Amino acid sequence: MSELSRVTDVKKQTDNRFLNMYDLSVTYRNGGHGSYFAASRSETIEGLTAVNHELRPAGVMLFGLLGDRVVLEKQFRYPLDAYVYELPAGLIEKGESLTDAAKREAFEETGLHFEPLSSGAFSRPFYMSPGMTDEACATIFGRFSGEPTSIHEEPDEDIHVVLADREECRRILKEELVSITCAYQLMHFVGADDPFAFLSQDPEEKRQK
């Protein structure tokens, strides 16, 4: 552990393939000590962000249009025991680039072909829910083509591809169960004439000017 780290020890509590629980021994800002429980995609203690302090994306999300409609998934999620609207997404396989992962996940989950747009710093990874997990995800922006189908999904997946115009997105936000990452993108989509216009305003390029 780093000398400046407030995490002084870690104990792995589960041994699962996709998600594990860890017990972190922590030091509070007032000098007190306690435990903090966190979930992680990492299968090892060494892979935890709290240990290596590295920002690594575990997965990719796709925000893209097919024509003038946004491509969504209405997916059954076991933790909710219900269907929820989400963006197409998935875990990055070993050795895979962000764009390759995005293209693969697009085809597997929607049957569509995905062409990423240049997005610079907007596609760097961000943390999903840092009070619970160290999982980080990168959003890849682009355009879809083809005919949607769910025939390529895994047996444990239940995904319905939804092509939503702005009016339907407003209804979804008002009435349906929606993941927060999807909801924020839909809020942007319904209010923007060109939902990709911001990609030409890369904050990394602005900082270097």
Side-chain angles (χ1 to χ4, degrees), residues 12-189:
K12 188 178 182 184
Q13 295 194 311
T14 60
D15 191 20
N16 300 315
R17 181 182 176 190
F18 294 113
L19 186 67
N20 284 288
M21 290 295 299
Y22 293 87
D23 180 3
L24 312 181
S25 297
V26 301
T27 301
Y28 303 138
R29 62 181 174 84
N30 64 1
H33 301 279
S35 290
Y36 196 100
F37 297 95
S40 178
R41 296 287 188 183
S42 176
E43 297 182 25
T44 66
I45 290 176
E46 292 74 20
L48 295 176
T49 300
V51 174
N52 60 41
H53 297 278
E54 296 177 355
L55 174 56
R56 295 179 180 177
V60 289
M61 287 188 302
L62 286 65
F63 178 78
L65 303 184
L66 181 60
D68 61 354
R69 293 180 292 177
V70 64
V71 177
L72 303 175
E73 294 178 354
K74 186 177 182 181
Q75 182 166 189
F76 191 88
R77 288 299 194 181
Y78 298 106
L80 305 182
D81 196 29
Y83 287 96
V84 60
Y85 282 82
E86 302 176 324
L87 298 176
L91 297 177
I92 301 169
E93 295 182 353
K94 187 175 181 179
E96 206 172 32
S97 70
L98 295 180
T99 55
D100 285 345
K103 291 178 180 180
R104 175 183 54 77
E105 287 292 343
F107 186 73
E108 290 177 358
E109 295 194 349
T110 71
L112 297 169
H113 298 285
F114 182 73
E115 187 59 38
L117 297 172
S118 177
S119 53
F122 289 112
S123 285
R124 75 183 187 90
F126 295 95
Y127 289 111
M128 301 287 288
S129 183
M132 184 184 71
T133 176
D134 64 355
E135 183 178 21
C137 187
T139 303
I140 308 300
F141 303 89
R143 296 192 180 277
F144 289 90
S145 62
E147 294 293 328
T149 177
S150 298
I151 63 172
H152 305 293
E153 66 187 51
E154 298 292 331
D156 61 345
E157 294 178 321
D158 183 356
I159 300 171
H160 302 273
V161 182
V162 176
L163 305 179
D165 59 17
R166 286 175 170 82
E167 182 177 351
E168 176 62 3
C169 287
R170 290 187 181 95
R171 186 199 68 79
I172 290 170
L173 287 168
K174 184 178 180 180
E175 301 176 5
E176 303 287 354
L177 298 177
V178 188
S179 75
I180 193 167
T181 50
C182 178
Y184 284 148
Q185 291 292 349
L186 295 188
M187 292 174 196
H188 170 69
F189 174 67

